[in-house]
Amino acid sequence: MPVDTLFLHGVGGSAWTFAATLDAMTAGWMSVDLLGYGESSWLPDGDYSSRRQAEQIIKVMDQLGVGEVRVVGFSWGGLIGLELARRDPRVTRLAVIDIAPSSNLSPTDVPPIPSLYPDIDAASAVVRRLAPRATLAVAERDAHLSTTGCAEGLRKKIDPVLLSNWQFRTENHWDSWRRNALPTVLIRGAESPVLGREQAQRMVGEAQAARLVEIPGAGHLIPLEQPKALAAELTEFLS
């Protein structure tokens, strides 16, 4: 299968998180719904660890016959990308977007993201609350693509467990980050409350082959707030 780049979304997202970014890119790509998101299965045992996600992605890549691939991971997807790069030699480049290898926050200390919405306007309003610099068109598109109809109006296509417990916060990926020898770019939103500049600089200082890029005018949700700028940086790195 002629896939050049694999895109991995973060918590609260879906395979469509990168839609506006991918509009500005031309390389062959694949964007997947992580387990518990979008059209993927919910897990009865609740094991939504980065390891479990990476194992499932490897199975999908095997089934599709994917060869060498560059991985772009946003937020939690960046940690899954690290795990994937550690496990699978087909990964040749890695872009980690606005996430550190570990967190001091509790897995249950998460921003409120409703599961149900009366209409698309309410769903779009939540997207714009989380990504205030996103255009109305991008917010509405994300709201449409990440919800489905239900008796109450709309339901976010996500296992409700993942709206209240971010299990990855109990993980520590510093060893994988330090051992990673692939060409790597760490992309940070210049106004991100999630990945501070000093922390990002520490990451680059402890990496083997990583460089830091900051996207002006973006907080954490770079794929929604500055999709064209992100596409430009990714195109340069991946080419």
Side-chain angles (χ1 to χ4, degrees):
M1 181 177 182
V3 172
D4 296 320
T5 309
L6 169 64
F7 287 81
L8 305 175
H9 64 83
V11 293
S14 73
W16 297 102
T17 294
F18 291 97
T21 300
L22 292 169
D23 285 344
M25 301 184 69
T26 57
W29 54 268
M30 176 172 69
S31 184
V32 300
D33 285 321
L34 299 176
L35 291 168
Y37 293 87
E39 307 304 321
S40 291
S41 300
W42 296 5
L43 300 178
D45 63 5
D47 177 16
Y48 290 108
S49 62
S50 299
R51 172 196 55 78
R52 183 83 170 268
Q53 297 282 6
E55 289 173 349
Q56 182 63 26
I57 291 167
I58 289 171
K59 291 179 182 178
V60 172
M61 289 169 58
D62 289 343
Q63 291 171 356
L64 295 177
V66 173
E68 289 188 351
V69 67
R70 291 89 54 91
V71 174
V72 176
F74 165 61
S75 194
W76 180 26
L79 302 183
I80 297 169
L82 269 175
E83 185 72 13
L84 191 63
R86 184 178 71 84
R87 291 170 173 269
D88 198 314
R90 287 175 290 185
V91 180
T92 60
R93 285 178 175 255
L94 179 64
V96 175
I97 303 174
D98 217 69
I99 192 72
S102 65
S103 174
N104 294 323
L105 297 175
S106 165
T108 57
D109 181 16
V110 302
I113 303 176
S115 177
L116 299 173
Y117 305 90
D119 52 39
I120 198 64
D121 288 340
S124 299
V126 171
V127 175
R128 298 203 79 188
R129 171 172 61 80
L130 297 171
R133 301 165 189 82
T135 66
L136 179 58
V138 168
E140 289 181 343
R141 183 182 187 184
D142 186 74
H144 275 288
L145 294 171
S146 62
T147 59
T148 188
C150 66
E152 294 84 355
L154 294 172
R155 173 182 61 80
K156 196 164 180 64
K157 294 192 285 187
I158 181 173
D159 185 340
V161 170
L162 290 161
L163 293 174
S164 60
N165 191 319
W166 293 355
Q167 184 179 343
F168 71 90
R169 282 184 172 167
T170 66
E171 302 171 353
N172 189 318
H173 296 269
W174 276 105
D175 186 62
S176 294
W177 175 259
R178 295 185 183 105
R179 290 175 178 269
N180 170 45
L182 297 175
T184 299
V185 64
L186 175 63
I187 300 177
R188 173 183 178 269
E191 301 171 39
S192 173
V194 173
L195 181 64
R197 181 169 295 165
E198 289 186 4
Q199 192 173 33
Q201 290 171 340
R202 176 196 168 191
M203 289 176 65
V204 172
E206 297 189 24
Q208 293 190 42
R211 64 182 179 91
L212 174 63
V213 170
E214 290 192 335
I215 304 290
H220 178 58
L221 285 162
I222 304 170
L224 300 182
E225 295 190 324
Q226 295 294 342
K228 291 182 179 179
L230 177 59
E233 293 293 348
L234 290 175
T235 298
E236 179 181 351
F237 172 68
L238 298 173
S239 61

